[in-house]
Amino acid sequence: MVIPFLENQTIIVEFVLRGFSSIWQLNIPIFMIFLIFYILTISGNILIVLLVLFNHHLHIPMYFFLVNLSFLEICYTSNVVPKMLLIIIAEPKTISVVGCLTQFYFFGSLAATECLLLAVMSYDRYLAICRPLLYPMLMTGSLCIRLAASSWLCSFLLTAITLFLMCRLTFCGPSEINHFFCDFTPLIHLSCMDTSLTETIAFATSSAVTLVPFLLITASYSCILAAILRIPSATGRRKAFSTCSSHLTVVTVFYGTLIATYLVPSASSSQLLRKGFSLLYTILTPMFNPIIYSLRNKDIHEALKKCLSKKSGLLT
């Protein structure tokens, strides 16, 4: 929908999300697959949250941060996937400008929060492995709350700066976004105003919440690796590495897909590839995170067995 603006321009009040319209013959199978992935993502992350909340032996810093991460993944996918499923099978495939900017704000804020939370979790693992005797005194409950709250607050405040600048832009055509959600790059290209300041601020804030945490994670794991290699026994090294292997896997998958997505050229021929990479960190990564943290985690296994045994006892 457009409204008159100046002489030869019109102001856009809603966008068309093209999604996967180039392969419309597969809309129903794609819808079913993504719906199953979404259900698995929500169910898996809710299960992690409930297991930690109702098992007191999991009330330690590592699982406190894991609950934050799982709750974040629920919000993250719920911000993108329901609308994506709607545009796959329904007409019209539109979203209002306000709705689009709102979706971008929560997407950017939650992605930034995940970067900061992963850095906080790496710091937690650094203290646990490199400073084991001081760990209980350093990683206190109040510090955990402050670190988690700071991650959420800083991300939402920094993204709000970019959102404020984007709200001042005028969109006057074309009205199509060649994506399945309102990402920054395809959205900014639809503005008919000078966007250099907005792009510069967005680059600065996104670098602050992605590059800085990545450097902190790299530094933490460099120290962790050095500490593990100094352990004399192979069993000790394996046990120490197992406490951080899940987190390291999640970091690798998340940053790997994020970097791959934004390094893809912006040419139209690569748009499908860009969407594919975007699917990895908006759907697949949040779905696999609970699986990754559960596969080799004895505490989660025991908590799940305890929960299942209680349920079977109630049924009998």
Side-chain angles (χ1 to χ4, degrees):
M1 183 182 295
V2 296
I3 60 176
F5 175 63
L6 299 180
E7 293 183 7
N8 300 318
Q9 293 179 321
T10 53
I11 295 179
I12 294 171
V13 295
E14 63 181 19
F15 298 114
V16 176
L17 287 169
R18 289 180 60 184
F20 303 95
S21 57
S22 59
I23 48 176
W24 59 269
Q25 301 92 334
L26 301 176
N27 276 357
I28 298 300
I30 289 175
F31 174 85
M32 295 304 299
I33 291 171
F34 290 162
L35 178 61
I36 292 170
F37 284 172
Y38 179 60
I39 293 172
L40 291 176
T41 299
I42 299 300
S43 302
N45 283 288
I46 288 177
L47 179 61
I48 292 291
V49 172
L50 293 178
L51 285 176
V52 174
L53 289 179
F54 292 107
N55 288 272
H56 293 288
H57 70 281
L58 297 181
H59 292 181
I60 59 176
M62 181 172 70
Y63 295 111
F64 170 77
F65 295 126
L66 180 57
V67 165
N68 274 265
L69 185 63
S70 293
F71 177 72
L72 182 146
E73 301 289 21
I74 294 169
C75 299
Y76 191 61
T77 53
S78 297
N79 178 53
V80 173
V81 177
K83 184 64 179 180
M84 182 188 72
L85 293 174
L86 186 63
I87 66 171
I88 288 176
I89 60 168
E91 294 288 349
K93 305 178 186 296
T94 58
I95 183 171
S96 67
V97 171
V98 173
C100 197
L101 291 173
T102 301
Q103 187 185 61
F104 158 75
Y105 174 65
F106 282 101
F107 168 76
S109 299
L110 293 168
T113 304
E114 181 155 3
C115 292
L116 294 177
L117 277 177
L118 290 175
V120 168
M121 293 171 78
S122 70
Y123 175 66
D124 172 69
R125 292 300 83 205
Y126 160 76
L127 291 180
I129 294 173
C130 300
R131 300 288 186 271
L133 297 179
L134 297 176
Y135 179 74
M137 292 181 290
L138 294 175
M139 191 56 72
T140 61
S142 59
L143 178 61
C144 291
I145 294 173
R146 289 199 300 271
L147 288 172
S150 298
S151 299
W152 287 87
L153 185 61
C154 289
S155 299
F156 276 79
L157 288 178
L158 284 174
T159 309
I161 299 173
T162 302
L163 178 68
F164 172 76
L165 294 172
M166 292 182 71
C167 288
R168 297 169 62 89
L169 299 176
T170 299
F171 299 95
C172 50
S175 62
E176 284 193 354
I177 298 177
N178 189 14
H179 214 320
F180 57 85
F181 72 100
C182 296
D183 202 359
F184 176 80
T185 301
L187 187 58
I188 205 75
H189 287 165
L190 300 182
S191 175
C192 52
M193 298 176 62
D194 180 18
T195 61
S196 56
L197 176 61
T198 304
E199 293 183 70
T200 301
I201 297 298
F203 177 78
T205 54
S206 61
S207 296
V209 294
T210 54
L211 183 59
V212 173
F214 180 75
L215 294 175
L216 291 174
I217 292 170
T218 303
S220 296
Y221 274 102
S222 297
C223 296
I224 289 171
L225 181 60
I228 290 176
L229 292 176
R230 288 196 296 266
I231 298 175
S233 68
T235 303
R237 289 194 297 270
R238 194 181 308 112
K239 185 177 179 180
F241 182 73
S242 66
T243 64
C244 59
S245 59
S246 298
H247 176 259
L248 185 58
T249 303
V250 169
V251 168
T252 303
V253 172
F254 178 77
Y255 271 99
T257 55
L258 200 63
I259 292 170
T261 301
Y262 292 101
L263 286 181
V264 172
S266 57
S268 58
S269 59
S270 65
Q271 285 302 309
L272 189 58
L273 184 61
R274 182 185 293 271
K275 291 176 188 177
F277 281 124
S278 297
L279 284 172
L280 290 178
Y281 68 80
T282 55
I283 297 180
L284 293 183
T285 300
M287 183 182 71
F288 283 127
N289 281 358
I291 299 174
I292 292 170
Y293 272 103
S294 302
L295 281 178
R296 298 180 61 185
N297 193 308
K298 292 181 180 179
D299 292 334
I300 294 292
H301 289 171
E302 291 176 4
L304 185 57
K305 288 179 182 178
K306 184 179 179 181
C307 179
L308 292 175
S309 63
K310 282 184 177 180
K311 184 171 290 188
S312 61
L314 290 174
L315 292 174
T316 56

